[in-house]
């Protein structure tokens, strides 16, 4: 899978893709993430990619022309499944959307900044708008990293234990059960006996019961309608 991220701040995104699971996914050739500097497509020598809003008002707007040139350049080299714009007014990102996007081959993600992008970009180039939550970030970069991480870890072969992504919170509309590691007792705090029993069926039943209990307590909406 290939994700091309268009940004005015490439260094902001270098670190998330240079460590741990995402780094390994790159090294194994399972995911390629390219950071594209929008300023490389700027139309003047000052490398401006933003300008004042027509009609006045505070805040700059990302100009249509550099973005159009950039997206058209990328599209001239390969087909893309989606051209995504990260925006607080997009569709709320969740696990089902991550699952769906993990089945695609090539994605473009455009990171917004300032007051947003010229509306003509959204009308003519963007096929999907995604928000990672009902709050406003100072730019789309951190949101793009969140979305890319959630997608890439689902690709077959990225996680060591293939089943571990399937038992994540939200994969079956339930949050994950509690987990414990050694020692079995710390300061008198003991782990549940069943986890030491070696009885797989009982352990699975306990985990399911715990997931259900936690979901009812913490996220009852997940059980009702997957919200
Ligand atoms: N850009 C700014 N805020 C954002 C959000 N909540 N989700 C996605 N992109 C954003």
């Amino acid at each position: 899978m290939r994700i091309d991220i268009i940004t005015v701040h490439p260094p902001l995104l270098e670190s998330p893709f240079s460590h741990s699971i995402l780094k390994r996914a790159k090294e194994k050739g399972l995911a390629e993430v390219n950071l594209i500097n929008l300023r490389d497509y700027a139309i003047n020598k000052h490398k401006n990619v933003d300008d004042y809003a027509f009609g006045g008002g505070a805040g700059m707007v990302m100009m249509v022309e550099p973005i159009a040139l950039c997206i058209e350049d990328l599209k001239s080299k390969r087909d893309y499944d989606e051209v995504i714009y990260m925006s607080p007014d997009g569709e709320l990102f969740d696990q089902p959307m991550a699952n769906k996007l993990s089945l695609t081959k090539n994605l473009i993600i455009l990171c917004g900044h300032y007051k947003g992008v010229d509306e003509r970009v959204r009308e003519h180039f963007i096929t999907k708008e995604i928000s990672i939550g009902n709050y406003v970030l100072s730019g789309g970069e951190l949101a793009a990293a969140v979305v890319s991480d959630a997608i890439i870890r689902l690709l077959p072969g990225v996680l060591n234990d293939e089943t571990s992504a399937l038992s994540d919170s939200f994969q079956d509309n339930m949050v994950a059960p509690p987990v414990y590691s050694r020692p079995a007792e710390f300061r008198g705090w003991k782990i549940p006996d069943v986890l030491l029993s070696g009885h797989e069926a009982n352990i699975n039943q306990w985990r399911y019961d715990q997931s259900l209990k936690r979901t009812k307590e913490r996220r009852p909406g997940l059980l009702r309608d997957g919200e």
Side-chain angles (χ1 to χ4, degrees):
M1 169 174 213
R2 177 188 177 107
I3 304 179
D4 290 334
I5 304 180
I6 304 170
T7 166
V8 286
H9 295 299
L12 245 181
L13 279 163
E14 273 157 20
S15 172
F17 297 106
S18 308
H19 302 279
S20 182
I21 287 170
L22 300 188
K23 180 182 177 197
R24 210 168 57 221
K26 242 198 302 195
E27 287 169 354
K28 285 186 180 171
L30 299 169
E32 185 183 340
V33 178
N34 298 294
L35 304 178
I36 294 138
N37 192 341
L38 185 61
R39 289 188 202 283
D40 292 344
Y41 296 86
I43 51 165
N44 60 25
K45 64 175 192 298
H46 306 293
K47 299 274 177 204
N48 291 340
V49 291
D50 59 310
D51 207 339
Y52 295 101
F54 276 123
M60 305 295 273
V61 174
M62 289 174 77
M63 290 187 287
V64 61
E65 196 169 350
I67 296 173
L69 294 175
C70 180
I71 292 176
E72 281 164 356
D73 185 26
L74 292 172
K75 281 182 161 180
S76 72
K77 294 171 190 150
R78 67 195 64 79
D79 290 331
Y80 287 91
D81 300 281
E82 299 280 6
V83 181
I84 296 166
Y85 174 51
M86 301 310 306
S87 159
D89 47 351
E91 189 183 342
L92 263 189
F93 188 59
D94 60 7
Q95 193 63 48
M97 201 195 292
N99 293 348
K100 236 184 263 172
L101 289 172
S102 75
L103 301 174
T104 63
K105 199 161 164 276
N106 297 317
L107 294 176
I108 291 175
I109 302 182
L110 171 64
C111 302
H113 256 278
Y114 319 112
K115 274 283 163 207
V117 293
D118 187 305
E119 189 64 21
R120 290 165 291 186
V121 171
R122 298 167 86 160
E123 284 169 8
H124 298 285
F125 293 103
I126 301 301
T127 61
K128 190 173 187 65
E129 303 199 1
I130 300 178
S131 164
I132 62 160
N134 292 329
Y135 41 80
V136 180
L137 301 166
S138 46
E141 281 77 9
L142 298 180
V146 166
V147 168
S148 302
D149 182 307
I151 295 171
I152 290 170
R153 65 190 294 286
L154 293 173
L155 300 175
V158 169
L159 296 182
N160 282 335
D161 178 356
E162 280 275 351
T163 60
S164 72
L166 295 175
S167 58
D168 285 342
S169 279
F170 304 115
Q171 280 298 11
D172 44 14
N173 282 342
M174 291 211 283
V175 303
V179 292
Y180 300 89
S181 183
R182 284 187 290 183
E185 183 173 345
F186 175 68
R187 296 183 182 165
W189 306 330
K190 291 186 181 153
I191 72 165
D193 287 338
V194 64
L195 297 178
L196 297 170
S197 69
H199 192 299
E200 198 181 329
N202 286 357
I203 292 171
N204 286 341
Q205 185 62 50
W206 178 85
R207 286 186 171 146
Y208 178 82
D209 294 344
Q210 289 291 317
S211 277
L212 191 58
K213 179 166 170 277
R214 281 206 159 177
T215 310
K216 281 180 184 161
E217 286 166 2
R218 299 175 185 208
R219 301 291 302 276
L222 284 176
L223 293 170
R224 274 200 306 276
D225 50 19
E227 80 189 13

